[in-house]
Amino acid sequence: MELFDNNMSFLEFKKRFSTEDVCYNYLESIYWKKRIVSPYHKRAQVSHVQGNVYKCKNTGKLFTVRTNKLFDDKLVLNLWFKV
C-alpha cells in the first residue's frame, strides 16, 4: 500500500489511515518486510507481546516500529501521516 497517491483526495487519505492500528501496520510493512527487527539488537529473536508491541529477547526491552525512528514521540501516527 502506498502512503501517498497523487490522485488520492484528502478524504480518501484520511479514510485509508483513519486508525492508529492501520498506521502501525503500514509502517511495519515498510520497515519489517520479511521479519521484525529489534532496534536494540538487529539479530536478536523477537517475541510478540500484544498489539504492535514486541520484545527483544537479547535485551528484554519492549519496542514498536516507532522506536528509534522519526515517529518515536507522543504524536499519534495518523497525525504524523497528515503532516
Side-chain angles (χ1 to χ4, degrees):
M1 175 190 328
E2 291 185 35
L3 177 60
F4 181 73
D5 177 352
N6 288 327
N7 299 317
M8 187 187 319
S9 72
F10 177 73
L11 291 176
E12 291 170 325
F13 183 88
K14 187 176 175 182
K15 184 177 177 183
R16 181 182 284 182
F17 297 103
S18 61
T19 69
E20 200 69 359
D21 282 339
V22 170
C23 295
Y24 266 97
N25 293 338
Y26 176 76
L27 283 180
E28 287 178 2
S29 73
I30 291 173
Y31 285 112
W32 300 329
K33 292 179 174 132
K34 299 196 187 232
R35 72 176 188 91
I36 299 166
V37 178
S38 167
Y40 306 112
H41 193 274
K42 303 293 182 205
R43 295 185 186 155
Q45 288 186 337
V46 170
S47 61
H48 180 251
V49 176
Q50 79 177 48
N52 298 96
V53 179
Y54 302 90
K55 183 176 183 179
C56 175
K57 290 195 174 181
N58 284 15
T59 64
K61 293 180 181 179
L62 299 178
F63 66 94
T64 71
V65 70
R66 295 174 69 158
T67 304
N68 296 338
K69 306 263 188 323
L70 169 70
F71 304 109
D72 192 11
D73 71 9
K74 305 263 187 249
L75 190 63
V76 293
L77 285 175
N78 51 3
L79 287 178
W80 260 112
F81 282 20
K82 290 175 188 173
V83 175

